[in-house]
Amino acid sequence: MTSPTEKPVKKVVLAYSGGLDTSIILKWLQTEYNAEVVTFTADLGQGEELEPARKKAELLGIKPENIYIEDLREEFVRDFVFPMFRANTVYEGQYLLGTSIARPLIAKKQIEIARKVGADAVCHGATGKGNDQVRFELGYYGLEPDIRVIAPWREWDFASRESLLAFAEQHQIPIAKDKRGDAPFSVDANLLHSSSEGKVLEDPAVEAPEFVYQRTISPEAAPDKAEVFTIDFEKGDPVAINGEALSPAALLTKLNQLGHDNGVGRLDLVENRFVGMKSRGVYETPGGTILLAAHRGIESITLDRGAMHLKDELMPKYASLVYNGFWFSPEREMLQAAIDYSQAKVTGRVTVKLYKGNVTVIGRESPYSLYDQDLVTFEEGKVAYDHRDAAGFIKLNALRLRVAAKRDARDAK
Amino acid sequence: MTSPTEKPVKKVVLAYSGGLDTSIILKWLQTEYNAEVVTFTADLGQGEELEPARKKAELLGIKPENIYIEDLREEFVRDFVFPMFRANTVYEGQYLLGTSIARPLIAKKQIEIARKVGADAVCHGATGKGNDQVRFELGYYGLEPDIRVIAPWREWDFASRESLLAFAEQHQIPIAKDKRGDAPFSVDANLLHSSSEGKVLEDPAVEAPEFVYQRTISPEAAPDKAEVFTIDFEKGDPVAINGEALSPAALLTKLNQLGHDNGVGRLDLVENRFVGMKSRGVYETPGGTILLAAHRGIESITLDRGAMHLKDELMPKYASLVYNGFWFSPEREMLQAAIDYSQAKVTGRVTVKLYKGNVTVIGRESPYSLYDQDLVTFEEGKVAYDHRDAAGFIKLNALRLRVAAKRDARDAK
Amino acid sequence: MTSPTEKPVKKVVLAYSGGLDTSIILKWLQTEYNAEVVTFTADLGQGEELEPARKKAELLGIKPENIYIEDLREEFVRDFVFPMFRANTVYEGQYLLGTSIARPLIAKKQIEIARKVGADAVCHGATGKGNDQVRFELGYYGLEPDIRVIAPWREWDFASRESLLAFAEQHQIPIAKDKRGDAPFSVDANLLHSSSEGKVLEDPAVEAPEFVYQRTISPEAAPDKAEVFTIDFEKGDPVAINGEALSPAALLTKLNQLGHDNGVGRLDLVENRFVGMKSRGVYETPGGTILLAAHRGIESITLDRGAMHLKDELMPKYASLVYNGFWFSPEREMLQAAIDYSQAKVTGRVTVKLYKGNVTVIGRESPYSLYDQDLVTFEEGKVAYDHRDAAGFIKLNALRLRVAAKRDARDAK
Amino acid sequence: MTSPTEKPVKKVVLAYSGGLDTSIILKWLQTEYNAEVVTFTADLGQGEELEPARKKAELLGIKPENIYIEDLREEFVRDFVFPMFRANTVYEGQYLLGTSIARPLIAKKQIEIARKVGADAVCHGATGKGNDQVRFELGYYGLEPDIRVIAPWREWDFASRESLLAFAEQHQIPIAKDKRGDAPFSVDANLLHSSSEGKVLEDPAVEAPEFVYQRTISPEAAPDKAEVFTIDFEKGDPVAINGEALSPAALLTKLNQLGHDNGVGRLDLVENRFVGMKSRGVYETPGGTILLAAHRGIESITLDRGAMHLKDELMPKYASLVYNGFWFSPEREMLQAAIDYSQAKVTGRVTVKLYKGNVTVIGRESPYSLYDQDLVTFEEGKVAYDHRDAAGFIKLNALRLRVAAKRDARDAK
């Protein structure tokens, strides 16, 4: 434990997946901290059943009233994924932030449960070398500043996988056979993406093996025929596919399927972690990849140039804030206020074509188009465009350059 | 002419393609301005023979010593395209600026020739509604502040295509049969890209027809087998393919072929012009699309996080400056100085895979890698990573959020 | 007139000060355009009576129902000046934008009147070399895209001051004796500032003469004793002085007096105009200078670091937008949304000391302070600060630098 | 000591002031680490004799060859202060970064000495709550990634001032009488500034008492007569006062004297520390305050608008990097490259007036002026300015606003 002077922990809310690692943490909290453990298991669309987690928690001695299981898929997509996509967010030019965006929601729910059950601590299972510990804990602290945070991977003395497994056996924690050996890579998944990293991916010079991919078939395996469909947007958020209105989570699920089937959304990346080192990851974000392209498509006809360029300038900072775990920070919220303001008329329909890994926007239309036929024609009496205006426009834009060029020519003499 | 009070033009350097439109301009300069015309025809890799332009100029009465023809491909790629790609430049999130980046070089050459031949004016064939007039003229003025600029499309009185053709016939300008009617779209091309816009592309809701594409086959038409090759970089610029050293233009030509063959580099976009309206264009940038991905790939292991994030934050402004025609401006040069500084160790090899429109970086290696095995292992005595450091890192990053959360909780009471 | 092909103007709303120049414009609109003129005269705190403007308009034949006079002081300060000060806005590091911020309001009112009276045009008296023409017209067009804009100084043929005066005499426009000769400098004034430029100020190497200053006494002439008072803020806006609640305009008026009396708020500046040249101006912004310092003071204890730094990064762009006349633009409004979001708890009291030109914040306090004694003490159980956390914080912040340094050392061998 | 597993330290280079605190550290390194101590004492213009530090080091048992004393004033001003002022750097709108800019130089020198004497560790006397520990250590690590860093204030067990003094007495460290009690505030000083913080300054609502000021007399105490003088700049750096060429340090010393005598350069500020809390400091930067104003003055006539605005946008980030200790980082160096590029013609003379705390630029002239009389006149044949150009300039700048306004009007129906 970090500090012998700290007060004992009475009750702790654990982000619990039901897997081996968080089960070990659960038991370790009971034995080392002698604390009452409250488990929190969320459905974020990771594609796993939640009831087994309940059973396992009960098996490990958690009281039924201390087991919290929630389906957060709609909240996740509506309040976290969609706001982020309004900003066309990509980290380091490529990464769609699928892991980053889920952590603040889990942290928020843990804090809510901690308040409800009167817990004095929260606990997560992220390792000490990664970004997720930061994202969880900045979330905790930003919402409940005096909460005690337990990060077992930074605290305990298990020196190896073997000693962990020994602890598990000692405490009757079931170990699936395939968990005995080291996993060839580690995985995080939710409705937005799945990520893989470590082991077989560690050498960035070597191509990621096909077996790490879980959310998508390869472009090579995808159908030879393109899939074409429409996405409707309202105020920057997607609301329907092929005209069928869908809830946020249902819509993203549908896009994921479409992306999966057409080999869309794979990314093999070396990125810079907030904790300071570079790491290599493989990400699959099928629906998100489509959504980014489609959102840019609808913005292209509905968003003013000044607004779009400002968004593009703000985006890298926004992306870093999300990546680094500062979702619940004043500056992320300020940027969100600006971004959301811009989306009031980002409404309309985009036609998207998927083909073997490619996402192409092939059509966009909107009742709020700034590319309206009436407007671009520039007939007399409408917003007239006079060619001669361009001469003045250029002349005054050039003025400072001309003055400087004259200065420099003078100096050269 | 813009102003009757302006002095007569004696000699004018015309950016001359040899096509119908600039031939009409040539003749119009002779007849309306009564000026001696000097033609400048550049090979920027647009894929057209230059000698026909010489013959046509001669036919239109240009003296041989007034006909300038230059192969600018190496200069174009080395001094314009590559510096721009060091910045991972994309305009409005997508456009690789293939047209924008060529204009300053043409302007520069026209000014050089004007100085050599003692011309008092320069002339271009860009229309009055587009960006290119701005790019040409900001280039002219920034390099030669007192030069007289003639922009025929903003000046003359031809009210229709028909009157233009009548003028051509009247002056014995040959008209190719297929130029009689209106073109279904207009094209610009150079070694970096070709663009198409207008007419059949005017409705952004309608998919671009296949026949507008000229530089690439469609992903559907591309081979069923992926193409894998390596690109070597030195200080941010590509220098070899599959280990074979190539000059800048030869390298881009090779990448264009690879991209073309694999359906890579198509973009269908509605963009915001500097002159104020939205326009829809189809761009094909096969080699550039590969280059962008590969450059990001080599940067991902050789560039420091702080440098990369700063580059990402500066890029949208850099892209706007190039798009808007401010290549020869102090602020573009300042940004270039920062960007170039960052590239000192962006050296190494990237393995790229092309498959039916997809460009995937599947490997990166470098003698200057910041993802070196020795470094990430963090053994004792090297750059050690202590898990416990993360606790302090998080605590201090969280401090201001905690203080604010306590403040806000206090207020809520 | 700009274009002979344009339709005749029937009714035009003129921004009318009652002075000689706008009186000439009034008459010129009547004679040249044969248009019905509606005058609009606003009290923006420029310190001049408005009734003489009414009388003069009547004298020049304007029908009483076509004379609009409004006191806009409260709206000006509340909806334009204060929002701008929330951003701590300074242009080019120094200028408080006193002229720039008034133009959009005048433009807005002219458009409102034009709609009311069914006018088809608006007209302003700004010259063709300055920024104000841009600010007026971007305002007009942004609010009423099809409005006809008349800018007499860019249109008419008066070649000299003499020919203008001749026109005035010809049309029985009264000319004050001191307007016969050229003014030694020109002035703009409103409740936020007064500016002077031209003639005696044209050489930037020469000190501005004392007689150009109108709003402030010199520091040398100010009292030998400091003036100390408090300003209360609520959500980023000042609401009271020395505890006395004041309306926005009353508060700024009071600050102006305090500043005036203590020689506060003079600025002698060479700035870059949007139209492309440098110009030299002398600005006096007594109340605004105090307000900027005081606002920074209250923010210093109530605003989170991330919010403050984001504001500082956005400010130069915000300032350029205001300076260039883009008040009614999506990007200015987006930035405002972000800025306003940050001000929710910028509430409290600042103690300010004025002394012979100096403005010093000598105290700040707030119920929302983030520098609360309880918070900074960091006692156990509160937001504890553990010195050892700093070690980890530094280590991880240093990690990328260490890795790069090892790389570079390796290369050097 | 942070980690019992770490290797013993053999030789450590201590940043040694000769004062009580670093003398205690010296002795503590000898007794706790059993390490050979090398002292490094630098003259950065803090205004203290260095020889007493040598004597004290000898007294505490340091071998003469292990005592390093260097006059770094010229290097400090030339290579750190001046580059920073080229950027017009202010942190949080006000602070001139006097403490921040000195730390990297001290760190650099310690590392150089460590290499020379074969030391395996460096040590500084900064506390665990401040920014300076970060600045020192990021400097150490960025230059010598494997260096061992000892930060006594984070490591030792002294719980109070008393126990520190007891340790001092026990080891025969002389204690000046006035150091017995707690100091009423703590001070840092160098040629650029002196700072005071703590104790009597802790309540930000209470005015800083006059006795904390050390570098400046108060405006009230300053002469009743203004002081006027000139500063010459070359490529962005000041090189002469009143025409007399001075070395960097001599010039800053002279400006400090001028500022001191006229009550210039005081700042009372609540700022945000990198380690997460707000703190209140009083800074005196007499010469720097003059230099900032004068540099802006010379830039105002010699720097292009685009360059100036880009600098203004980059500055807040640059300031944060310096404040946070990232002087030796790629991103600070990238920004410096951009900034330095812009300064090529920032050459000329500024006339400055000081009066009771006020710094006013009253004149600027330059052979590279962009405000040259020849240029602004815009006579025919020079850089002509045609009023009618403004109409086109405005029209095209307004175009997107008009299109959006038409769209919005249409929606409203």
Side-chain angles (χ1 to χ4, degrees), chain C residues 170-219:
Chain C
Q170 179 192 343
H171 291 91
Q172 282 87 42
I173 301 171
I175 306 172
K177 270 187 189 150
D178 62 346
K179 299 288 180 184
R180 286 270 159 205
D182 263 12
F185 57 94
S186 68
V187 171
D188 175 65
N190 59 48
L191 199 52
L192 180 55
H193 95 336
S194 77
S195 75
S196 307
E197 57 181 28
K199 295 278 188 304
V200 301
L201 296 170
E202 260 176 17
D203 184 348
V206 175
E207 185 173 7
E210 182 61 29
F211 65 79
V212 304
Y213 294 98
Q214 317 175 20
R215 275 291 172 90
T216 54
I217 57 172
S218 72

Side-chain angles (χ1 to χ4, degrees), chain B residues 7-15 29 35-40 65-66 68 107 109-123 140 144-150:
Chain B
K7 279 182 292 183
V9 169
K10 287 183 196 145
K11 201 187 269 195
V12 55
V13 180
L14 168 66
L29 289 169
E36 182 179 351
V37 177
V38 178
T39 61
F40 170 60
E65 68 267 28
N66 276 348
Y68 284 78
K109 290 292 164 182
Q110 281 183 271
I111 293 299
E112 285 172 7
I113 293 168
R115 286 175 183 157
K116 201 161 155 188
V117 304
D120 50 347
V122 287
C123 177
Y140 299 148
E144 188 62 53
D146 290 332
I147 197 76
R148 173 82 168 272
V149 175
I150 301 174

Side-chain angles (χ1 to χ4, degrees), chain C residues 1 186 193 295 371:
Chain C
M1 278 158 284
S186 68
H193 95 336
H295 185 256
Y371 185 103

Side-chain angles (χ1 to χ4, degrees), chain A residues 202 278 303 331 371 400, chain B residues 202 278 303 331 371 400:
Chain A
E202 260 176 17
K278 288 181 182 288
L303 202 61
E331 63 271 33
Y371 185 105
R400 65 182 174 96
Chain B
E202 260 176 16
K278 289 182 183 288
L303 203 61
E331 64 272 33
Y371 185 102
R400 65 183 174 94

Side-chain angles (χ1 to χ4, degrees), chain A residues 98-315:
Chain A
T99 296
S100 325
I101 192 64
R103 302 314 190 193
L105 174 54
I106 298 171
K108 175 170 168 259
K109 289 293 164 181
Q110 282 183 269
I111 293 300
E112 285 172 7
I113 293 168
R115 286 175 183 157
K116 201 162 155 187
V117 303
D120 49 347
V122 288
C123 177
H124 65 76
T127 68
K129 265 191 170 179
N131 294 305
D132 285 330
Q133 56 179 339
V134 189
R135 296 166 186 152
F136 278 121
E137 299 179 30
L138 292 183
Y140 299 149
Y141 287 132
L143 296 168
E144 189 61 53
D146 291 331
I147 197 75
R148 173 82 167 272
V149 175
I150 300 175
W153 287 95
R154 295 200 308 257
E155 297 183 21
W156 62 29
D157 298 320
F158 301 119
S160 64
R161 191 83 196 152
E162 287 69 38
S163 58
L164 264 179
L165 293 175
F167 178 88
E169 289 193 338
Q170 180 193 340
H171 290 92
Q172 281 88 40
I173 301 171
I175 305 173
K177 267 186 192 152
D178 63 346
K179 297 289 181 183
R180 286 271 158 204
D182 262 14
F185 57 93
S186 68
V187 170
D188 176 65
N190 59 48
L191 198 52
L192 180 55
H193 96 336
S194 77
S195 74
S196 307
E197 57 182 26
K199 294 278 187 306
V200 302
L201 296 170
E202 260 176 17
D203 185 348
V206 174
E207 185 173 8
E210 182 61 29
F211 66 80
V212 305
Y213 293 100
Q214 315 176 19
R215 275 291 173 89
T216 54
I217 59 173
S218 72
E220 285 87 342
D224 287 333
K225 198 173 165 310
E227 178 123 26
V228 174
F229 56 94
T230 62
I231 305 178
D232 292 348
F233 284 85
E234 268 178 28
K235 304 194 176 191
D237 293 338
V239 294
I241 293 178
N242 280 333
E244 182 193 1
L246 293 167
S247 74
L251 189 142
L252 184 53
T253 303
K254 175 87 176 163
L255 286 184
N256 278 337
Q257 190 61 51
L258 287 162
H260 167 276
D261 294 350
N262 289 285
V264 165
R266 294 182 166 194
L267 175 66
D268 173 349
L269 183 73
V270 175
E271 81 201 47
N272 292 290
R273 289 191 185 157
F274 188 30
V275 291
M277 82 278 281
K278 288 181 182 288
S279 72
R280 195 260 193 103
V282 162
Y283 300 107
E284 293 165 87
T285 320
T289 301
I290 300 167
L291 186 49
L292 175 65
H295 185 257
R296 279 228 175 252
I298 190 63
E299 282 194 336
S300 76
I301 58 166
T302 56
L303 202 61
D304 166 79
R305 182 184 71 198
M308 187 184 292
H309 289 198
L310 178 57
K311 285 188 67 204
D312 284 347
E313 287 177 26
L314 299 178
M315 188 277 284

Side-chain angles (χ1 to χ4, degrees), chain D residues 89-346:
Chain D
T89 316
V90 285
Y91 180 69
E92 299 190 342
Q94 303 186 270
Y95 171 37
L96 293 175
L97 294 170
T99 296
S100 324
I101 193 63
R103 300 317 189 191
L105 174 54
I106 298 171
K108 176 170 168 260
K109 289 293 164 181
Q110 282 183 271
I111 293 300
E112 285 173 6
I113 293 168
R115 286 174 183 158
K116 200 161 157 189
V117 304
D120 50 348
V122 287
C123 176
H124 64 75
T127 69
K129 264 191 171 181
N131 293 305
D132 284 331
Q133 56 179 341
V134 190
R135 295 166 187 153
F136 277 122
E137 298 179 30
L138 292 183
Y140 299 149
Y141 286 132
L143 295 169
E144 188 62 52
D146 290 332
I147 197 75
R148 173 79 168 274
V149 175
I150 300 173
W153 286 95
R154 296 200 307 258
E155 297 183 22
W156 62 30
D157 298 321
F158 302 119
S160 63
R161 191 81 197 153
E162 286 69 37
S163 57
L164 263 180
L165 293 175
F167 177 88
E169 288 193 339
Q170 179 192 341
H171 290 91
Q172 280 89 42
I173 301 171
I175 306 171
K177 269 185 191 156
D178 61 347
K179 297 290 181 181
R180 287 269 158 203
D182 264 13
F185 57 93
S186 69
V187 171
D188 175 65
N190 59 47
L191 198 52
L192 180 54
H193 95 335
S194 76
S195 75
S196 308
E197 58 181 28
K199 295 278 190 302
V200 301
L201 296 170
E202 260 175 17
D203 185 347
V206 175
E207 184 174 7
E210 181 61 28
F211 66 80
V212 304
Y213 293 98
Q214 316 174 19
R215 274 291 173 88
T216 53
I217 58 173
S218 72
E220 286 87 343
D224 287 333
K225 198 171 165 313
E227 178 124 26
V228 175
F229 55 95
T230 63
I231 304 178
D232 292 349
F233 285 85
E234 268 178 29
K235 304 193 177 194
D237 293 337
V239 294
I241 294 178
N242 279 334
E244 183 192 1
L246 293 167
S247 73
L251 189 143
L252 184 52
T253 303
K254 175 86 176 164
L255 287 184
N256 278 338
Q257 189 62 49
L258 287 161
H260 167 278
D261 295 350
N262 290 285
V264 165
R266 294 181 166 194
L267 175 65
D268 174 350
L269 184 72
V270 175
E271 81 201 47
N272 292 289
R273 288 190 186 159
F274 187 31
V275 291
M277 82 278 279
K278 289 182 182 288
S279 72
R280 195 260 194 103
V282 162
Y283 299 108
E284 294 165 87
T285 321
T289 301
I290 300 167
L291 185 50
L292 176 65
H295 185 256
R296 279 228 176 252
I298 191 64
E299 281 194 336
S300 76
I301 58 166
T302 57
L303 202 61
D304 166 79
R305 182 184 72 198
M308 188 184 292
H309 290 197
L310 178 56
K311 285 188 69 204
D312 284 348
E313 286 177 27
L314 299 178
M315 189 276 286
K317 183 168 190 72
Y318 181 94
S320 283
L321 288 170
V322 175
Y323 185 86
N324 292 349
F326 289 93
W327 182 263
F328 297 114
S329 71
E331 64 271 34
R332 201 281 308 172
E333 290 164 358
M334 285 170 66
L335 291 173
Q336 195 74 55
I339 291 157
D340 289 355
Y341 185 91
S342 74
Q343 301 290 296
K345 301 206 168 161
V346 179

